[in-house]
Amino acid sequence: MVTAALCVAVGATACTSDDSGPSAKKTAPSATAAPTPVPALTPAQARDAITHYSTTNNLAHVKQDRALLDTVEGGPRYAMSLADLKQDEALPKADREPYRLWSYDLSATDLYIPRLQDGQQRWFAAVTRGGSQQQFARVLVMAENTKSMQWEMVATVDIDDPKQLPTIVLDKDGYATAVDASSKSLTAPVSQLRSAVTDNFATGGELTGKKVFAPTAASQRQIKVHDETTRKFGPRGTTRFAAADPQFTDAYALKTTTGALVVFSHTHTQHDAVAAPSLRIIPEKEDRAWLGTSASPAFTYTFTCSDIAAVPSVPEASSLLGYGCRRTDAEAAGPSTSV
């Protein structure tokens, strides 16, 4: 679900009498009033949705109940949670971290509820803060499942530097304005943002990443992943990152005082291969959840990620504010060596 921009539909109609003579009376064109956008839900309902999510999420993880987790998570957030469960279950019990119950501090959480037109999928965002001085910030996006009509957490993204978070525009009643993340009116539509983050991994940002994004900590970290991972085998093998068709195409955007805040997802792959037929790659401990224990000359991993970017209203570079990735698939890539 890509959020649609709020728009005004105007239909003009002109009416005349049957008398076509000079004395005929004509009515002036009239405009049909556009439906008034309404808030996706109330602040109290949004807080209840967040509380219900954290409570159910805890219970689902304690029981390792994927079906229960599916009732409160969707999109990339659910895919990442499933990946965490799969990897944890594959580890020896001695290596598993004990699960700790948690909750969001609603007193330190700001809600950003957009007004939406009738028929648009309902969603809202929140920024929750933590730490002794609230120095940590996480952006949450919850959306209503159009089939179950339940609220699901679809994205959670930690912000590297909360001071970089732009100010979200609120109307006189405290509600936000949804923006079409795919609109060409944005200096960087979501398709361009997605291409730029995958380029950070694939080339170190040399094609589009460094052009679209300013050198924030998040963008630099993606480039560092490329630089360090592609050299990890030395002369014995190669690693190549590549963009993949996004598993989740939904994007959520809100109007800010400087442009738009966009939350989106991307998918990329990592292909590891040996440099000589006599060599094999031995899966590491966390890889075995996906690959077992068999060595292979090549493996391909798939990563699902959530990203958040501030897009300016003027033709300047966007800022990648944070991202998070999980390996969500892996397979032996066959007998071929380096690519």
Side-chain angles (χ1 to χ4, degrees), residues 1-5 40 73-77 112 114 116 120-126 139-146 151-157 168 177-182 186 188-191 193-194 248-256 260-265 305-311:
M1 188 280 304
V2 176
T3 57
E73 287 191 346
R77 179 63 267 166
Y112 298 101
L116 302 171
Q120 286 184 279
Q121 183 186 22
R122 297 199 297 164
W123 66 276
F124 71 94
V139 174
L140 317 176
V141 177
M142 296 196 74
E144 186 181 51
N145 186 303
T146 55
W151 285 95
E152 298 178 341
M153 188 70 71
V154 295
T156 61
V157 194
I168 296 172
T177 299
V179 175
D180 182 359
S182 64
L186 294 179
V190 67
S191 59
L193 297 174
R194 189 174 285 124
F248 305 102
T249 58
D250 296 348
Y252 306 86
L254 294 172
K255 183 179 180 181
T256 68
L261 184 68
V262 184
V263 180
F264 61 101
S265 177
C305 309
S306 285
D307 311 82
I308 183 167
V311 179

Side-chain angles (χ1 to χ4, degrees), residues 7 25 66 82 94 113 172 187 213 233 261 290 294:
C7 61
K25 297 181 180 179
R66 290 162 170 77
L82 291 183
I113 301 171
K172 61 182 179 62
T187 56
F213 291 123
F233 290 132
L261 184 68
W290 310 91
S294 300

Side-chain angles (χ1 to χ4, degrees), residues 41-73:
L41 73 176
T42 67
Q45 290 171 329
R47 287 189 287 269
D48 287 345
I50 294 173
T51 299
H52 176 68
Y53 165 70
S54 60
T55 301
T56 307
N57 180 279
N58 280 321
L59 182 61
H61 276 87
V62 168
K63 295 183 174 182
Q64 295 187 326
D65 188 335
R66 290 162 170 77
L68 179 60
L69 189 62
D70 190 26
T71 65
V72 291
E73 287 191 346

Side-chain angles (χ1 to χ4, degrees), residues 317-335:
S318 296
S319 296
L320 187 66
L321 304 181
Y323 76 96
C325 295
R326 296 289 193 283
R327 173 174 35 203
T328 51
D329 194 14
E331 61 181 359

Side-chain angles (χ1 to χ4, degrees), residues 91-276:
L91 293 173
K93 289 187 177 181
D95 292 337
R96 299 178 190 177
E97 293 288 338
Y99 185 79
R100 297 180 180 179
L101 300 179
W102 62 276
S103 64
Y104 289 120
D105 182 359
L106 294 181
S107 67
T109 300
D110 298 321
L111 300 174
Y112 298 101
I113 301 171
R115 291 183 180 273
L116 302 171
Q117 294 283 8
D118 185 39
Q120 286 184 279
Q121 183 186 22
R122 297 199 297 164
W123 66 276
F124 71 94
V127 177
T128 184
R129 301 177 187 274
S132 58
Q133 298 179 340
Q134 295 189 357
Q135 68 270 34
F136 306 114
R138 173 176 292 177
V139 174
L140 317 176
V141 177
M142 296 196 74
E144 186 181 51
N145 186 303
T146 55
K147 294 182 179 179
S148 68
M149 308 304 289
Q150 298 294 314
W151 285 95
E152 298 178 341
M153 188 70 71
V154 295
T156 61
V157 194
D158 291 334
I159 301 295
D160 282 331
D161 182 359
K163 295 178 182 178
Q164 292 181 315
L165 197 66
T167 301
I168 296 172
V169 174
L170 301 177
D171 64 19
K172 61 182 179 62
D173 297 316
Y175 292 106
T177 299
V179 175
D180 182 359
S182 64
S183 173
K184 299 299 182 182
S185 64
L186 294 179
T187 56
V190 67
S191 59
Q192 190 173 335
L193 297 174
R194 189 174 285 124
S195 295
V197 293
T198 52
D199 182 62
N200 279 346
F201 286 103
T203 73
E206 294 303 320
L207 296 180
T208 61
K210 294 178 180 178
K211 296 177 182 177
V212 173
F213 291 123
T216 61
S219 188
Q220 293 297 103
R221 191 163 67 253
Q222 290 179 342
I223 293 171
K224 184 178 180 181
V225 169
H226 165 270
D227 293 346
E228 293 184 350
T229 308
T230 54
R231 296 194 296 261
K232 68 178 181 179
F233 290 132
R236 295 172 298 172
T238 60
T239 294
R240 298 286 185 270
F241 290 99
D245 291 337
Q247 184 180 0
F248 305 102
T249 58
D250 296 348
Y252 306 86
L254 294 172
K255 183 179 180 181
T256 68
T257 55
T258 55
L261 184 68
V262 184
V263 180
F264 61 101
S265 177
H266 84 269
T267 306
H268 69 263
T269 60
Q270 174 185 328
H271 182 76
D272 291 352
V274 298

